[in-house]
């Protein structure tokens, strides 16, 4: 089932009920914003950078589990190097940078995936999760015992899941790993320097770009076409609704907003009324 957002009444989620493509970004929902593009550190306060904002247009639904034997309960499903599966864990004793465990996974580009990993018994080194083959992408390093969650956007041609021992080598255990598609067209900063800030003005919560180099980039599965509507909640002012917009396979947002909706069709009259009211409320200070 779709996750529910807000009180009863109009929700932008209804605009996408027939499978429309686009995105809905809601800065008032802190559960959708992270300080890093990998989605490991939540945004919790004003002044913190926004490296990733999740798209709510698909309900943030998680897909099925993609990992075979991610709990390491049996000795199959993985190709191992400098590691063994024992006692329900991947037991690692790498002497350097090496892929400890690999398996084929059917990643899709440009979709994003929620990755959860549990590390225990760490003696030395660190490890990362890699979506390999084609344009490799990876998580940040796991350097201590605990539970880690990453949101990783697939690269073109990724078809293998890898657990990588990096640096001087990882000695420790991977208790479990889970990979599930996180539905939506999520927007990330291309670098730390390009991250906008989470800001509040009165009741309005918004994304504050520096008008120099801050940007959040979204990539869509296909071109959105020439009949798009872009709706933006402006802080302390009337909302902006642009019709007949041409948007390709990506969208670079660098304009302040307290809510942003991008959809690949025109809105009906009633939808325009509802969206205007929703945006106005979001931008009200």
């Amino acid at each position: 089932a779709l996750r529910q957002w807000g009180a009863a009444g109009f929700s932008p989620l209804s605009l996408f009920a027939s499978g429309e493509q686009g995105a809905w970004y809601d800065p008032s929902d802190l559960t959708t914003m992270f300080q890093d593009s990998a989605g490991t550190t939540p945004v919790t306060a004003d002044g913190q950078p926004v490296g990733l904002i999740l798209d709510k247009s698909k309900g943030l639904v998680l897909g099925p589990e993609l990992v075979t034997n991610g709990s390491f309960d049996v000795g199959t499903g993985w190709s191992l190097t400098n590691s063994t599966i024992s006692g329900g864990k991947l037991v690692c004793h790498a002497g350097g940078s090496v892929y400890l465990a690999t398996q084929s996974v059917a990643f899709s580009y440009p979709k994003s995936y929620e990755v959860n990993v549990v590390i225990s018994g760490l003696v030395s080194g660190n490890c990362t999760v890699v979506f390999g083959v084609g344009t490799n992408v990876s998580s940040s390093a796991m350097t201590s015992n605990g539970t880690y969650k990453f949101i990783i956007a697939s690269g073109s041609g990724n078809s293998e899941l890898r657990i990588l021992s990096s640096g001087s080598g990882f000695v420790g255990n991977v208790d479990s790993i889970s990979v599930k598609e996180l539905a939506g067209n999520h927007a990330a900063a291309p670098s730390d320097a390009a991250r906008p800030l989470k800001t509040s003005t009165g009741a309005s919560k918004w994304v504050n770009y520096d008008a120099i180099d801050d940007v959040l980039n979204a990539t869509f599965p296909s071109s959105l076409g020439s009949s798009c509507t872009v709706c933006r909640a402006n802080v302390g002012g009337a909302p902006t609704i642009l019709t007949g917009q041409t948007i390709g396979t990506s969208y670079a947002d660098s304009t302040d907003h307290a809510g942003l909706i991008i959809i690949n069709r025109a809105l009906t009259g009633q939808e325009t009324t509802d969206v205007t009211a929703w945006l106005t409320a979001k931008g009200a200070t």
Side-chain angles (χ1 to χ4, degrees), residues 4 14 40 56 88 100 104 107 121-122 140 169 178 196 211 227-228 231 236 238 262 264:
Q4 300 301 307
S14 65
T40 60
K56 296 166 63 171
L100 298 161
S104 296
F107 296 108
L122 191 148
S140 53
S178 169
S227 300
C228 299
C231 313
I262 304 164
N264 63 340

Side-chain angles (χ1 to χ4, degrees), residues 121-141:
L122 191 148
V123 176
S124 61
N126 61 76
C127 64
T128 60
V129 176
V130 179
F131 293 0
V133 184
T135 305
N136 287 4
V137 293
S138 65
S139 71
S140 53

Side-chain angles (χ1 to χ4, degrees), residues 38-191:
T40 60
T41 306
V43 170
T44 59
D46 284 350
Q48 292 178 346
V50 180
L52 173 71
I53 184 167
L54 302 182
D55 164 28
K56 296 166 63 171
S57 71
K58 302 300 181 185
L60 292 177
V61 173
L62 288 174
E65 179 61 62
L66 297 179
V67 181
T68 299
N69 189 25
S71 57
F72 303 107
D73 290 330
V74 296
T76 59
W78 297 90
S79 176
L80 305 177
T81 302
N82 288 4
S83 64
T84 59
I85 294 176
S86 177
K89 303 175 187 295
L90 178 71
V91 181
C92 308
H93 44 88
S97 182
V98 62
Y99 290 120
L100 298 161
T102 63
Q103 70 172 253
S104 296
V105 171
F107 296 108
S108 297
Y109 174 79
K111 294 184 178 180
S112 294
Y113 297 84
E114 182 177 293
V115 180
N116 289 275
V117 185
V118 178
I119 301 294
S120 70
L122 191 148
V123 176
S124 61
N126 61 76
C127 64
T128 60
V129 176
V130 179
F131 293 0
V133 184
T135 305
N136 287 4
V137 293
S138 65
S139 71
S140 53
M142 294 173 283
T143 59
S144 61
N145 294 327
T147 299
Y148 293 82
K149 183 174 80 171
F150 308 103
I151 296 171
I152 302 177
S154 64
S156 178
N158 290 162
S159 59
E160 191 170 77
L161 175 66
R162 302 168 174 174
I163 299 174
L164 170 67
S165 168
S166 54
S168 60
F170 174 68
V171 179
N173 305 321
V174 180
D175 290 13
S176 64
I177 180 170
S178 169
V179 178
K180 299 179 180 181
E181 181 188 335
L182 180 61
N185 301 308
H186 315 301
S191 66

Side-chain angles (χ1 to χ4, degrees), residues 250-273:
S250 63
Y251 188 87
D253 186 59
S254 58
T255 302
D256 297 348
H257 72 81
L260 177 63
I261 300 167
I262 304 164
I263 189 167
N264 63 340
R265 64 170 174 85
L267 303 184
T268 67
Q270 184 60 55
E271 287 173 336
T272 300
T273 298

